[in-house]
Amino acid sequence: DNYNTISYDNSDNNLVENINVTSGRRQGLYLSDSDNVTIRNSWLDNTGDCAPWFCAVMRFENSEYVKIINNTIGPNNVRGIYYSGNSHNGIISNNTILGSLENGIDLYNADNMIISNNCVNDTNGNGIYLNGEPNNCTVYDNHILLSNNYALLITGTNHLIYSNILN
């Protein structure tokens, strides 16, 4: 069974642009062991018909140098954007994340990430969560509204966090 709407596995140097995903069983977009990928100008919603702590609209595992730019995500039944397991050196910028049942942006052990100029609205979890032991992340100019837990929940070391609007 293919549970993900769009999957890249061991696929480097890709551009995913102008896609519209309006339903999916697990992840709307899933990358595993794929580096130098850009996802931009896309709309993904109504994905994640599984346990919210497992699934995400966009999920990345063991992938580096992934850029997520200018996308709209949600509403959905899971996390908005989730990095797990050795995913580093990415950029998450100018995205709108609406109505996530879990965290809006969740980075688990992801180092050297830049999270900027995103709007995260109406999450049942945390707005932005640097989870596990991430290091050297920069989080700035994000607007986070209506998170049922923390707007920003930060773990790890050596982060630069500034100019975020938290409501």
Side-chain angles (χ1 to χ4, degrees):
D1 284 320
N2 184 359
Y3 294 106
N4 305 310
T5 305
I6 300 169
S7 290
Y8 286 87
D9 188 16
N10 292 302
S11 182
D12 298 337
N13 305 311
N14 290 296
L15 171 63
V16 179
E17 185 173 35
N18 297 318
I19 61 169
N20 187 350
V21 175
T22 58
S23 66
R25 285 183 68 185
R26 286 197 180 168
Q27 279 73 226
L29 187 135
Y30 176 75
L31 263 66
S32 177
D33 302 299
S34 299
D35 298 334
N36 300 309
V37 176
T38 299
I39 299 116
R40 69 179 180 212
N41 302 326
S42 296
W43 177 282
L44 295 94
D45 68 8
N46 199 28
T47 63
D49 186 18
C50 65
W53 59 87
F54 176 76
C55 292
V57 176
M58 291 185 181
R59 183 174 177 159
F60 309 96
E61 292 182 359
N62 303 314
S63 298
E64 295 198 27
Y65 303 101
V66 175
K67 297 177 185 174
I68 305 168
I69 301 170
N70 199 37
N71 299 287
T72 300
I73 298 169
N76 63 76
N77 296 322
V78 293
R79 294 176 176 109
I81 297 171
Y82 180 47
Y83 276 73
S84 66
N86 297 319
S87 292
H88 308 294
N89 305 306
I91 297 172
I92 302 170
S93 185
N94 295 314
N95 299 287
T96 300
I97 301 169
L98 307 166
S100 292
L101 187 62
E102 268 285 330
N103 304 314
I105 299 172
D106 190 339
L107 307 180
Y108 182 76
N109 292 338
D111 297 333
N112 305 312
M113 300 291 294
I114 298 172
I115 303 122
S116 66
N117 298 305
N118 298 288
C119 179
V120 181
N121 190 358
D122 193 23
T123 62
N124 201 39
N126 304 298
I128 297 174
Y129 186 13
L130 301 185
N131 187 354
E133 296 182 17
N135 298 297
N136 304 312
C137 294
T138 303
V139 181
Y140 68 94
D141 289 340
N142 297 287
H143 193 170
I144 304 168
L145 302 165
L146 302 173
S147 290
N148 283 346
N149 287 336
Y150 297 99
L152 288 173
L153 181 54
I154 308 298
T155 63
T157 59
N158 297 321
H159 303 303
L160 179 60
I161 299 168
Y162 63 94
S163 299
N164 296 285
I165 298 172
L166 314 172
N167 293 327

